Short mmCIF file of all heavy atoms in Angstrom, two decimals:
data_model
loop_
_atom_site.label_atom_id
_atom_site.label_comp_id
_atom_site.label_asym_id
_atom_site.label_seq_id
_atom_site.Cartn_x
_atom_site.Cartn_y
_atom_site.Cartn_z
N VAL B 11 -16.18 16.60 23.80
CA VAL B 11 -17.59 16.32 23.55
C VAL B 11 -17.86 14.90 24.04
O VAL B 11 -17.10 13.98 23.72
CB VAL B 11 -17.93 16.44 22.05
CG1 VAL B 11 -19.32 15.89 21.78
CG2 VAL B 11 -17.83 17.89 21.60
N ASN B 12 -18.88 14.76 24.84
CA ASN B 12 -19.28 13.46 25.35
C ASN B 12 -20.63 13.09 24.76
O ASN B 12 -21.56 13.91 24.75
CB ASN B 12 -19.39 13.47 26.88
CG ASN B 12 -18.06 13.77 27.54
OD1 ASN B 12 -17.05 13.16 27.24
ND2 ASN B 12 -18.07 14.74 28.44
N VAL B 13 -20.75 11.86 24.29
CA VAL B 13 -22.01 11.41 23.70
C VAL B 13 -22.16 9.91 23.96
O VAL B 13 -21.17 9.18 24.09
CB VAL B 13 -22.02 11.73 22.19
CG1 VAL B 13 -20.95 10.95 21.45
CG2 VAL B 13 -23.38 11.50 21.58
N ALA B 14 -23.40 9.49 24.09
CA ALA B 14 -23.67 8.07 24.29
C ALA B 14 -23.69 7.35 22.94
O ALA B 14 -24.11 7.92 21.92
CB ALA B 14 -25.01 7.89 25.00
N GLU B 15 -23.25 6.11 22.95
CA GLU B 15 -23.26 5.32 21.72
C GLU B 15 -24.66 5.25 21.14
O GLU B 15 -25.64 5.06 21.88
CB GLU B 15 -22.73 3.91 22.00
CG GLU B 15 -22.51 3.08 20.75
CD GLU B 15 -21.85 1.74 21.03
OE1 GLU B 15 -22.13 1.16 22.09
OE2 GLU B 15 -21.05 1.29 20.20
N GLY B 16 -24.75 5.43 19.84
CA GLY B 16 -26.04 5.40 19.18
C GLY B 16 -26.69 6.76 19.03
O GLY B 16 -27.61 6.93 18.21
N ASN B 17 -26.24 7.73 19.80
CA ASN B 17 -26.77 9.10 19.68
C ASN B 17 -26.03 9.87 18.60
O ASN B 17 -24.87 9.56 18.29
CB ASN B 17 -26.63 9.83 21.02
CG ASN B 17 -27.69 9.38 22.02
OD1 ASN B 17 -28.53 8.53 21.71
ND2 ASN B 17 -27.65 9.94 23.21
N PRO B 18 -26.66 10.91 18.07
CA PRO B 18 -25.95 11.74 17.08
C PRO B 18 -24.87 12.57 17.75
O PRO B 18 -24.98 12.91 18.94
CB PRO B 18 -27.05 12.64 16.52
CG PRO B 18 -28.13 12.64 17.56
CD PRO B 18 -28.05 11.33 18.25
N LEU B 19 -23.83 12.87 16.99
CA LEU B 19 -22.76 13.70 17.52
C LEU B 19 -22.50 14.89 16.60
O LEU B 19 -22.72 14.81 15.39
CB LEU B 19 -21.48 12.89 17.72
CG LEU B 19 -20.72 12.41 16.48
CD1 LEU B 19 -19.72 13.45 15.97
CD2 LEU B 19 -19.97 11.11 16.79
N THR B 20 -22.06 15.98 17.22
CA THR B 20 -21.64 17.17 16.49
C THR B 20 -20.37 17.70 17.11
O THR B 20 -20.29 17.85 18.33
CB THR B 20 -22.71 18.28 16.53
OG1 THR B 20 -23.91 17.79 15.91
CG2 THR B 20 -22.23 19.52 15.79
N VAL B 21 -19.39 17.96 16.28
CA VAL B 21 -18.15 18.61 16.71
C VAL B 21 -18.06 19.92 15.94
O VAL B 21 -18.07 19.93 14.71
CB VAL B 21 -16.92 17.73 16.45
CG1 VAL B 21 -15.66 18.41 16.98
CG2 VAL B 21 -17.08 16.36 17.09
N GLY B 62 -18.92 7.23 7.96
CA GLY B 62 -20.26 7.75 8.21
C GLY B 62 -20.31 9.20 8.65
O GLY B 62 -21.38 9.71 8.98
N PHE B 63 -19.18 9.88 8.67
CA PHE B 63 -19.15 11.28 9.06
C PHE B 63 -19.57 12.19 7.89
O PHE B 63 -19.38 11.84 6.72
CB PHE B 63 -17.75 11.70 9.52
CG PHE B 63 -17.40 11.21 10.89
CD1 PHE B 63 -16.71 10.02 11.06
CD2 PHE B 63 -17.76 11.94 12.01
CE1 PHE B 63 -16.39 9.55 12.33
CE2 PHE B 63 -17.44 11.49 13.29
CZ PHE B 63 -16.76 10.29 13.45
N GLU B 64 -20.12 13.33 8.24
CA GLU B 64 -20.46 14.35 7.27
C GLU B 64 -20.26 15.71 7.90
O GLU B 64 -20.15 15.83 9.14
CB GLU B 64 -21.90 14.19 6.77
CG GLU B 64 -22.94 14.27 7.85
CD GLU B 64 -24.33 13.96 7.31
OE1 GLU B 64 -24.47 13.15 6.38
OE2 GLU B 64 -25.30 14.52 7.86
N LEU B 76 -18.77 19.09 12.14
CA LEU B 76 -18.70 17.67 11.82
C LEU B 76 -19.85 16.94 12.52
O LEU B 76 -20.12 17.19 13.70
CB LEU B 76 -17.36 17.10 12.31
CG LEU B 76 -17.10 15.62 12.05
CD1 LEU B 76 -16.88 15.37 10.55
CD2 LEU B 76 -15.88 15.16 12.84
N LYS B 77 -20.50 16.04 11.79
CA LYS B 77 -21.65 15.35 12.36
C LYS B 77 -21.63 13.87 11.99
O LYS B 77 -21.01 13.46 11.00
CB LYS B 77 -22.95 15.98 11.84
CG LYS B 77 -23.11 17.44 12.21
CD LYS B 77 -24.44 18.00 11.75
CE LYS B 77 -24.56 19.46 12.17
NZ LYS B 77 -25.88 20.04 11.86
N LYS B 78 -22.32 13.11 12.85
CA LYS B 78 -22.54 11.69 12.55
C LYS B 78 -23.87 11.31 13.17
O LYS B 78 -24.13 11.64 14.34
CB LYS B 78 -21.41 10.83 13.11
CG LYS B 78 -21.50 9.37 12.69
CD LYS B 78 -20.27 8.58 13.13
CE LYS B 78 -20.39 7.14 12.66
NZ LYS B 78 -19.22 6.32 13.07
N PRO B 79 -24.74 10.64 12.45
CA PRO B 79 -26.10 10.36 12.96
C PRO B 79 -26.10 9.41 14.17
O PRO B 79 -26.97 9.54 15.04
CB PRO B 79 -26.79 9.70 11.77
CG PRO B 79 -25.98 10.09 10.57
CD PRO B 79 -24.57 10.22 11.05
N SER B 80 -25.14 8.48 14.23
CA SER B 80 -25.15 7.49 15.29
C SER B 80 -23.71 7.18 15.70
O SER B 80 -22.97 6.55 14.93
CB SER B 80 -25.87 6.22 14.82
OG SER B 80 -25.87 5.23 15.82
N ALA B 81 -23.33 7.60 16.88
CA ALA B 81 -21.94 7.48 17.32
C ALA B 81 -21.60 6.05 17.73
O ALA B 81 -22.45 5.31 18.26
CB ALA B 81 -21.68 8.42 18.49
N LEU B 82 -20.34 5.69 17.49
CA LEU B 82 -19.81 4.41 17.92
C LEU B 82 -18.71 4.64 18.96
O LEU B 82 -18.02 5.67 18.92
CB LEU B 82 -19.20 3.65 16.74
CG LEU B 82 -20.14 3.30 15.58
CD1 LEU B 82 -19.34 2.73 14.42
CD2 LEU B 82 -21.22 2.33 16.04
N ASP B 85 -15.46 5.66 17.64
CA ASP B 85 -15.27 7.03 17.16
C ASP B 85 -14.53 7.89 18.18
O ASP B 85 -14.13 9.02 17.86
CB ASP B 85 -16.63 7.70 16.87
CG ASP B 85 -17.35 7.06 15.70
OD1 ASP B 85 -16.67 6.55 14.77
OD2 ASP B 85 -18.60 7.07 15.70
N LEU B 110 -13.35 13.62 21.47
CA LEU B 110 -14.68 13.00 21.48
C LEU B 110 -14.64 11.73 22.31
O LEU B 110 -13.80 10.86 22.07
CB LEU B 110 -15.12 12.68 20.05
CG LEU B 110 -16.43 11.89 19.90
CD1 LEU B 110 -17.61 12.74 20.37
CD2 LEU B 110 -16.63 11.45 18.46
N PHE B 111 -15.53 11.66 23.29
CA PHE B 111 -15.71 10.44 24.09
C PHE B 111 -17.09 9.88 23.80
O PHE B 111 -18.09 10.58 23.99
CB PHE B 111 -15.58 10.74 25.58
CG PHE B 111 -14.18 11.00 26.03
CD1 PHE B 111 -13.73 12.29 26.24
CD2 PHE B 111 -13.29 9.95 26.25
CE1 PHE B 111 -12.44 12.55 26.66
CE2 PHE B 111 -11.99 10.20 26.67
CZ PHE B 111 -11.57 11.49 26.88
N VAL B 112 -17.14 8.64 23.35
CA VAL B 112 -18.41 7.97 23.11
C VAL B 112 -18.54 6.87 24.15
O VAL B 112 -17.71 5.95 24.20
CB VAL B 112 -18.51 7.40 21.69
CG1 VAL B 112 -19.87 6.72 21.50
CG2 VAL B 112 -18.29 8.48 20.66
N LYS B 113 -19.56 6.96 24.97
CA LYS B 113 -19.76 6.01 26.06
C LYS B 113 -20.71 4.91 25.63
O LYS B 113 -21.77 5.19 25.04
CB LYS B 113 -20.30 6.75 27.28
CG LYS B 113 -20.37 5.92 28.54
CD LYS B 113 -20.65 6.79 29.77
CE LYS B 113 -21.96 7.53 29.64
NZ LYS B 113 -22.28 8.30 30.87
#
Side-chain angles (χ1 to χ4, degrees):
Chain B
V11 169
N12 298 310
V13 65
E15 188 174 35
N17 284 0
L19 70 87
T20 299
V21 183
F63 285 94
E64 59 186 32
L76 181 70
K77 299 183 179 185
K78 187 173 181 180
S80 179
L82 299 172
D85 293 329
L110 174 67
F111 286 101
V112 181
K113 188 169 60 176

